[in-house]
Amino acid sequence: MLSALEKFAPLPLQESWDNAGLQLGLTEAEVSGALLCLDVNEKIVDEAIAKGCNLIVSHHPLLFRGLKQISGADYVQRCVIKAIKHDVVIVSMHTNMDNALDGVNWKIAERLGLKGCKFFAQKTVDGLEAGSGVVGDLPSEIGARAFVELVKNKFHVECAMCNELLERPIRKVAICGGAGDFLLPEAMGEGADAFITGEMHYHLYFGHEQQIQICVIGHYQSEQFTAEIFRDIIQRECPDVKTFVADTSTNPIYYY
């Protein structure tokens, strides 16, 4: 099953700073069930155990940096201890899934109903077409306020952080899920009317008034449907494996 995920989003597609792939455990064991999620925390490991899953597939890696001790001092160490104790394997598909064809950004585009989608900030890795962002067109142009409401509705967000509303219609939309503000110049270079991402630094909102509609919806919110990609891959390639999209919300940010 790991090979099916890596065939869809090969590990060479990940960024140099990333740590996608096998995080923990032995892959020779037969999969009793796979829990699919955005992040790994203790509640996710507990949910996997409760559902009889010995595999967790996450988007964000549990292990970004090397551990110098495993003493239970923080949630990462406690997850490692609990997963090993219960023979749970943890695999993460992170920036390789961000950069892959039909990956994270394509899922966002699908939720919005964009047409004619293509990569931007495109690259070729080991002969594979890849890209950090996706750009496409809405079925018809809409006003800026209606666009923001559409995004909020499709991603179930309580609020969106935007620059001033455009006074022209929006049709072409550029997307980079997660922390994607580095792609704002490329989105403008594509002639996009709007740019959707999960996080943006404060100063980047300045200077683009009436150039492009910035719409920032939260890191978790922008990538929340990634588990559906994992589910579809596994059900297509390994139909005998039970899959569960996690019920646990791992978003650490609350809006009051």
Side-chain angles (χ1 to χ4, degrees), residues 158 161 198-199 218-221 249-256:
E158 296 133 88
M161 293 182 287
E199 296 182 39
H219 197 125
Y220 177 92
Q221 289 88 340
S249 171
T250 56
N251 188 3
I253 300 172
Y254 293 82
Y255 298 85
Y256 295 107

Side-chain angles (χ1 to χ4, degrees), residues 147-166:
F147 170 76
V148 174
E149 291 302 320
L150 172 68
V151 174
K152 288 170 60 179
N153 178 265
K154 293 296 185 180
F155 289 87
H156 314 302
V157 299
E158 296 133 88
C159 63
M161 293 182 287
C162 305
N163 59 346
E164 71 176 24
L165 294 178
L166 278 187

Side-chain angles (χ1 to χ4, degrees), residues 62-129:
L62 174 66
L63 303 176
F64 260 118
R65 301 169 184 85
L67 294 176
K68 295 186 177 180
Q69 63 174 5
I70 304 177
S71 63
D74 57 37
Y75 86 93
V76 174
Q77 295 180 38
R78 292 191 292 273
C79 285
V80 169
I81 292 169
K82 185 173 288 188
I84 291 175
K85 181 178 179 181
H86 292 273
D87 296 320
V88 175
V89 175
I90 299 175
V91 171
S92 299
M93 298 281 113
H94 191 211
T95 53
N96 54 320
M97 188 62 71
D98 290 332
N99 290 327
L101 182 65
D102 294 327
V104 174
N105 295 314
W106 297 83
K107 173 60 72 172
I108 297 171
E110 176 188 299
R111 295 284 303 182
L112 290 170
L114 299 189
K115 308 296 183 183
C117 294
K118 65 175 185 177
F119 283 122
F120 72 100
Q122 192 169 352
K123 49 197 166 187
T124 302
V125 180
D126 290 351
L128 297 171
E129 181 187 9

Side-chain angles (χ1 to χ4, degrees), residues 1 37 49 51 54 68 72 75 77-78 98 103 105 112 121 159 172 176 190 195 229 251:
M1 197 188 72
C37 57
I49 295 166
K51 289 180 173 174
N54 63 351
K68 295 186 177 180
Y75 86 93
Q77 295 180 38
R78 292 191 292 273
D98 290 332
N105 295 314
L112 290 170
C159 63
K172 181 177 283 191
C176 183
E190 290 289 328
F195 177 55
I229 305 174
N251 188 3

Side-chain angles (χ1 to χ4, degrees), residues 206-231:
F206 286 100
H208 306 299
E209 295 81 10
Q210 300 308 313
Q211 293 180 341
I212 191 168
Q213 184 66 64
I214 296 169
C215 188
V216 180
I217 62 174
H219 197 125
Y220 177 92
Q221 289 88 340
S222 69
E223 298 181 329
Q224 63 185 292
F225 301 107
T226 303
E228 295 179 3
I229 305 174
F230 302 151
R231 180 198 61 199

